[in-house]
Amino acid sequence: MASRASAFGDADDQHAPRLTIGEVLNVLRDDFPDVTISKIRYLESEDLVHPQRTPSGYRKFSSADVARLRYVLAAQRDHYLPLKVIKEHLDALDRGEPLPGSAPAPAGGAAPEPDAGSLPPEQFARAAGLAPGQLADCVQFGLLAPDAEGRHPAADLPIARAAAGLARHGIEPRHLRVYQNGAEREAGLVEQLVAPVLRARSEEARTRATEKLQELVALSAQLHGALLEARLRDLLRP
C-alpha cells in the first residue's frame, strides 16, 4: 500500500527508521501516561493513523505516524474532541486546508492554548471569542462555572467557544440549558458504567476504564449529532 501524504511529516521516506507499536508506546507515555497499545490499535482501526505492515503483519510506525498520534491524543485530552471531528481535522490538514476555528494545530503551527490551569475572565473571554456580557450569561445559565477567585478553567474553553459560535447564529446562552441538561443526564449514564472500575486499585483496570470513558464520550457526541441531524433532515429536503 502506498503511503499517504501527511501534514505531520514525510510519510514516504523509506529510509527513516520505523518504530514498533511497543516503541511508540514508550515514546508517547511521557506526555500521555494513559495511552496503551490497545488504544493505539483502536485509533488505527478508526483510520486516524496508518502504520506500514511487515510481511508478517507487524506494525511499523513512521515519525509522521507518531506525530499524528500525538495530535489525536492531545485533541482528546485538551479539547475533548470526538474522534470523528479529529479525523475531519486530520483530513483537512493532509489536504492543506485551514483547520476549523476551534481545532488544535499541529506542533509548530498556530499559537497553542494558554498554559494556565485557569484564566481571569477577560483573558478567558478573549480566548473563547465571547464578549464579557456573553461570558456572564454563560455563567448565569450554568454553562460555565468560575472558581472562588472568579477565574475560569482553561479546560472549559471548548464549551465557551461553542457558545460563542452558536451566539453568532443567534442562539444565546439562555437557550443552551437544553444542552446542559442533556449533558448532565448523559454524564450520569456514563458514570454508572465506568465509576466502579475507576475506583479499582488496579492500574490496568483504571487504564481500561479511562479508555472506555473516552470512547463513550466520543460515541455519545456522535449519537447526539446523528440524532439532531435526523430530526432536522426534513428541513434539508427540497
Side-chain angles (χ1 to χ4, degrees):
M1 179 185 297
S3 298
R4 302 192 185 190
S6 173
F8 295 83
D10 186 358
D12 295 315
D13 185 356
Q14 300 300 319
H15 302 292
R18 291 181 177 265
L19 304 178
T20 66
I21 194 168
E23 290 170 332
V24 171
L25 182 65
N26 291 334
V27 169
L28 294 174
R29 263 190 171 162
D30 284 345
D31 294 324
F32 305 97
D34 293 332
V35 70
T36 63
I37 285 178
S38 62
K39 174 73 170 182
I40 295 171
R41 288 172 177 161
Y42 176 72
L43 296 177
E44 180 189 2
S45 73
E46 293 295 307
D47 201 31
L48 293 161
V49 64
H50 317 105
Q52 287 187 351
R53 294 282 186 141
T54 67
S56 54
Y58 291 103
R59 296 170 177 85
K60 286 292 185 177
F61 293 80
S62 68
S63 58
D65 294 325
V66 176
R68 290 177 76 89
L69 286 169
R70 285 187 182 278
Y71 183 91
V72 173
L73 294 170
Q76 285 188 308
R77 181 192 64 192
D78 301 336
H79 299 266
Y80 307 101
L81 296 179
L83 293 182
K84 179 181 178 182
V85 173
I86 296 172
K87 186 177 187 303
E88 291 171 355
H89 294 171
L90 290 171
D91 290 343
L93 285 167
D94 288 341
R95 293 191 300 266
E97 297 175 357
L99 287 173
S102 62
E113 289 289 339
D115 291 331
S118 61
L119 304 171
E122 299 81 3
Q123 186 178 355
F124 183 86
R126 187 165 56 251
L130 287 169
Q134 291 174 320
L135 176 58
D137 286 346
C138 287
V139 172
Q140 177 183 350
F141 293 104
L143 295 171
L144 299 168
D147 60 22
E149 298 178 355
R151 297 170 66 89
H152 290 268
D156 283 351
L157 278 171
I159 300 172
R161 285 173 175 159
L166 289 167
R168 290 193 290 271
H169 293 276
I171 303 176
E172 301 175 9
R174 62 190 175 88
H175 300 135
L176 302 180
R177 285 303 300 270
V178 61
Y179 293 94
Q180 176 75 5
N181 294 337
E184 289 176 356
R185 289 194 293 269
E186 289 177 32
L189 177 61
V190 171
E191 184 179 359
Q192 292 178 32
L193 296 173
V194 300
V197 186
L198 284 172
R199 289 194 291 266
R201 296 186 177 183
S202 165
E203 187 63 30
E204 182 180 353
R206 289 183 59 83
T207 298
R208 287 200 306 270
T210 300
E211 292 176 6
K212 183 175 182 179
L213 178 61
Q214 292 172 336
E215 292 175 20
L216 286 169
V217 168
L219 289 170
S220 295
Q222 180 180 342
L223 177 61
H224 174 83
L227 287 172
L228 183 60
E229 183 178 343
R231 297 296 183 274
L232 300 175
R233 193 170 294 141
D234 288 343
L235 296 176
L236 303 175
R237 291 175 179 165

